[in-house]
Structures are given as structure tokens and as C-alpha cells.
Amino acid sequence: MGKLFGTDGIRGVVGENLTVDLAFKTGKAIAAVLKEETGRKPLITIGKDTRISSDMLESALIAGICAVGGDVMPFGVLPTPAVAYLTVLRGADAGIVISASHNPYEHNGIKVFNEKGYKLPDETEEKIEEKILGDKPIAVATHDQIGVLRHGIKQAKEAYINHLAGSIESDLSGLRVLVDCSNGAASATAPELFGRFHCYADFIHREPDGVNINDHCGSTHLDSLSERVVAGHYDIGVAFDGDADRCLLVDETGGVIDGDKIMAVCGMDLKRHGKLDGNTVVATVMSNLGLHEFCRNSGIELAITSVGDRNVLEKMVECGYRVGGEQSGHMIFTEFATTGDGELTALQFLQILVRSGKKASELASVCPQYPQVLLNVAVSNERGVKECIMSSETLREAVEQEERDLAGEGRVLVRASGTEALIRVMVEAKTEEIARQVAERLVKSIKTL
């Protein structure tokens, strides 16, 4: 990755390493690169989540784009996948999302989609970085070449909700659903979306104030949803993250249905209906060994990629696969979307739940789950620190020793976060106690580096 773009765009703490000045320069650079590549005035869409800094960064990006001569179509608060979908629908040259996904409110980010709704290729990101960081000034437009705003927020939101609602055939009658909007972008779409169906849906954490996004709610904090699902006798709970590109579920007992179980249920349903192209589900190295076991027993191939929905999508597009995702809830259904979509994922699972006539816990039980421990080690935010740790010979030897001790009855994965100053340690083993002991020893080893 480059100096600015990580695995999921430009990320940082607003006012520290993600500033208004950087956003302005980024807007100029994106528009300039698009002008060079297309030979004409580009049209760029913009959507954002509910963070207090999103309006400010949006204004800076719009100013930068218009200054160079690009037109902007702002959508307001919408989920990340909505921007990807609408960029294609509106015939725009690129789409920008202002969000830091599941991170705390003080963080934010700038993610860019191309005209086909996919994340920008590395080569284009490098061109943008060169213009942002280079000494050569970016030429600005004058007179009638200055960019303008094109509006249509209400119509854009409605078009996206229509698209999602049309992705399933069931009317979801009889279901009692509790939806956690994470005080994020789903607050703008989920109530209207679920209102299109005949299910009984209630909503929590749908009152964003700029600083409560992901705050003890949403897909990264499922406790309150689990408690309310059980107390309210709901059939299922649905949790989104801040930009609604991921979804996790909670069954009627309060048990978590993670991305692995969602992939298993959806993959088997597609196979049953003759729609599992390539007879393959795509997952990452983070997926639980239980998903591997499920696929073996179900006669489904499992393709494994590196961490990141970008890697999952690349494999899916390359091979023509229909379903893939991450344990964390990033699910991609290529029949309907070019990126992870939490609300789309929820609808796909809920349709299967209604068809099955089973309880959510029974439906998800087809995919076993091995005990897994995931620990995060905070490291310095200085550039190169994570890379230095990951290349350490001491760490490599420690990991190899732990894997030898597990003797094939578990696995170890240590990786640097692509969006935060963290080293992530994941261990699976026959028991949670063994997994935690191994993970804690590796954390201790990392902290000494």
C-alpha cells in the first residue's frame, strides 16, 4: 500500500493525521486524475456516515473537486454500498465515501469507488497519492470550467432502497426482527427498507448525534442487541456497523451468528437452488475452522484469500463466484452488489430463515465453531512500526513454536490491521483455554519487540 491509502482508503484521526487540508487536496487529486484518464469533466458522487467530522470533510472534498473542474453529486448520509451502487446507476466516474466504518467517532476515512462500483485499483490510488504529496501544483479551473453540485439526494436514497427490496422474493411475513443501526448510516435507510416488508421490525441505536456512532452498539458490540432480542422474544436481531457495509446477526437465544455462519447458510441455500456458481464460497484466512468443516461435509469448495473484502471480491470476480465474505460480517453477493452490503446480507438471510421454517439458532447450527480467541495489541501509529514488528524474526519463531505445540489441532494467525495501529493475534484450538493461553503468550512476545 502507499503512504496515504491503506487497505480501505485513507484513514486517520480527524484533526491529527486526517485534516481538512488533506481532504481538500484529495478532492483535487481525485478530480485531476479522473480528468486525465477520461479526457473530460468528471462527475463524482459523495456519501457519508454520521460522524461529527463527516460534514466538514465532505465540504473540503467538494471544494477540491469543484476547484479542479469536477462536478459533484452529494447523497448525504447513506451506507457505503449505497454509494457504490448509485455511482454506477448515475453514470458517475467515481464515488467517494466518508467513513471509518466500525471505528470510534474521532476516526474518519476517505474511500473511493471507480465507475463500476469497485474499489480503486492500486495504480489509480498511486496516481492520486503522487498528486497529493508531490511538489507540482494541481491546475485549477476558471470561468465556466469550475465544477458544480448536482442534487438528487431523495431520489438516490429511494433508488437504493428499491434495489435492496427487489433482491429477495419473500415478504418476510411472520418475522419479529430487532435492528441495531449503530447510530450510523443505516439509520437513514433501514427503517424505510424494513418497512417495505410484512415483518414486525423494531429499531435501536438509530439516533446519531455525531459522536455516538459504534458507541457500545452495532456489529462490534452485540451485547445490548442480544439482551433485547431475548427479552423482547424476537426471532432474530440484526446489527450493522457505522457505514452499514457489514452485518452480524443474533439468534432468538442471544447467540451470535457471525459471517462464517452467514456464508454457510447462504452458500448452502444457493447450492440447493442451483445458483452457487463454481460450487464455491470465498472466505479469508480469519474464517473459523468450523466453516472449513461445514464446506467439506456439504460438498462445497472453500476458496481462501488474505484478510480484506477487497481480496475476497477480487477472487469472486476473477472466478465468477456468487457469495463470499469475512467472519466480521463483510458479505458480498455479486449478483446484487460490487461491495459488502450489510442490509443486503440481512435480507438474504431473513429470506432463507422464513423459507426454512426453522428458528435462527437451528438454521445457523449447520456450521460448527471452534473456540477462537482474538486479541489486539496496540502499537505506535508511526509509519513503518507495524511492518517492522511483522518482519521480526523473534515473532516468526514464536508463532512457529506455538503452531508446533498445537500439533495440527488448531492454528495461529498474526497480522497487522490495515486500518488501525494494531497487531491482531488470532488463535483457534480444541478449547478456549488453550487458545487464550497461546494468544496471550504471543501478545507478550509482541509487546517486547
Side-chain angles (χ1 to χ4, degrees):
M1 289 299 165
K3 296 178 180 179
L4 294 176
F5 284 89
T7 56
D8 206 23
I10 299 172
R11 289 282 185 92
V13 175
V14 179
E16 293 183 8
N17 52 349
L18 178 53
T19 63
V20 169
D21 183 55
L22 177 57
F24 177 66
K25 290 178 179 177
T26 301
K28 290 176 67 177
I30 292 170
V33 169
L34 290 174
K35 283 181 71 175
E36 292 172 359
E37 291 184 345
T38 63
R40 55 178 167 75
K41 190 175 193 176
L43 170 63
I44 301 170
T45 64
I46 292 187
K48 59 188 174 184
D49 69 17
T50 57
R51 294 165 207 272
I52 193 171
S53 60
S54 291
D55 290 346
M56 176 180 73
L57 295 175
E58 178 190 44
S59 297
L61 282 161
I62 290 174
I65 293 167
C66 291
V68 173
D71 289 348
V72 183
M73 183 179 291
F75 295 140
V77 174
L78 277 183
T80 287
V83 177
Y85 171 74
L86 292 167
T87 296
V88 179
L89 186 68
R90 295 290 186 254
D93 297 290
I96 298 175
V97 179
I98 304 166
S99 175
S101 190
H102 60 283
N103 288 353
Y105 82 91
E106 63 269 19
H107 294 253
N108 216 325
I110 300 169
K111 177 162 50 180
V112 190
F113 293 106
N114 67 13
E115 77 283 0
K116 295 181 180 179
Y118 296 114
K119 292 180 181 178
L120 290 183
D122 292 343
E123 305 78 50
T124 304
E125 288 184 347
E126 288 171 4
K127 290 180 182 177
I128 294 170
E129 280 196 357
E130 288 175 4
K131 289 190 178 295
I132 296 171
L133 301 175
D135 296 328
K136 186 178 179 180
I138 299 173
V140 298
T142 63
H143 297 81
D144 62 345
Q145 296 304 303
I146 294 172
V148 298
L149 293 186
R150 301 188 194 177
H151 291 290
I153 292 176
K154 183 178 180 181
Q155 295 88 337
K157 176 181 171 182
E158 185 175 357
Y160 175 63
I161 291 174
N162 288 340
H163 167 66
L164 293 180
S167 72
I168 62 172
E169 298 173 356
S170 171
D171 64 5
L172 306 183
S173 292
L175 277 186
R176 283 177 50 82
V177 185
L178 184 61
V179 181
D180 183 345
C181 296
S182 199
N183 291 316
S187 303
T189 53
E192 184 176 339
L193 173 63
F194 282 88
R196 299 284 183 92
F197 299 95
H198 293 162
C199 61
Y200 177 86
D202 284 328
F203 301 86
I204 58 175
H205 303 126
R206 54 166 293 196
E207 298 179 354
D209 62 10
V211 299
N212 62 0
I213 187 171
N214 301 317
D215 186 14
H216 294 91
C217 59
S219 62
T220 52
H221 300 88
L222 294 170
D223 289 349
S224 67
L225 179 63
S226 295
E227 291 170 2
R228 296 190 194 196
V229 164
V230 174
H233 303 289
Y234 292 93
D235 296 307
I236 194 166
V238 177
F240 303 115
D241 65 338
D243 66 336
D245 68 347
R246 70 168 71 179
C247 166
L248 292 179
L249 305 168
V250 171
D251 66 31
E252 78 285 354
T253 71
V256 175
I257 302 175
D258 66 9
D260 289 343
K261 291 179 178 290
I262 294 171
M263 277 188 279
V265 170
C266 292
M268 178 56 74
D269 186 73
L270 287 171
K271 181 180 176 70
R272 188 178 298 116
H273 289 88
K275 293 183 177 181
L276 188 62
D277 294 350
N279 193 43
T280 299
V281 170
V282 183
T284 77
V285 293
M286 291 295 288
S287 279
N288 193 275
L289 288 171
L291 180 61
H292 293 248
E293 181 179 312
F294 164 81
C295 288
R296 284 196 304 272
N297 294 339
S298 303
I300 294 174
E301 298 295 324
L302 183 63
I304 298 297
T305 75
S306 300
V307 173
D309 58 330
R310 176 197 289 258
N311 298 315
V312 172
L313 180 61
E314 285 179 356
K315 174 60 72 172
M316 295 176 71
V317 171
E318 175 190 348
C319 301
Y321 299 141
R322 282 207 177 196
V323 62
E326 296 187 278
Q327 187 185 59
S328 61
H330 277 117
M331 300 295 301
I332 303 173
F333 296 86
T334 52
E335 181 179 358
F336 305 107
T338 56
T339 188
D341 191 321
E343 290 171 300
L344 175 65
T345 299
L347 291 181
Q348 300 303 308
F349 192 95
L350 293 182
Q351 174 174 249
I352 297 169
L353 181 61
V354 171
R355 284 175 177 169
S356 72
K358 300 177 180 178
K359 292 186 179 296
S361 58
E362 182 184 0
L363 185 65
S365 67
V366 297
C367 183
Q369 191 168 39
Y370 284 57
Q372 183 183 82
V373 171
L374 176 62
L375 300 180
N376 293 323
V377 187
V379 298
S380 171
N381 203 30
E382 292 182 17
R383 199 175 305 280
V385 170
K386 289 187 292 187
E387 292 76 7
C388 182
I389 291 173
M390 291 305 300
S391 64
S392 165
E393 183 69 16
T394 300
L395 178 58
R396 185 187 65 79
E397 292 175 354
V399 170
E400 290 180 352
Q401 182 60 54
E402 296 293 354
E403 288 177 332
R404 284 194 293 270
D405 291 344
L406 287 169
E409 296 185 336
R411 65 185 183 123
V412 175
L413 178 65
V414 178
R415 69 178 186 88
S417 168
T419 59
E420 299 175 82
L422 299 172
I423 301 294
R424 304 192 191 279
V425 178
M426 188 275 285
V427 180
E428 289 174 5
K430 292 181 66 176
T431 69
E432 184 173 352
E433 181 181 2
I434 293 173
R436 184 164 295 279
Q437 289 173 351
V438 172
E440 288 177 347
R441 284 197 295 269
L442 288 171
V443 166
K444 185 177 180 180
S445 178
I446 291 170
K447 287 182 176 179
T448 63
L449 296 177

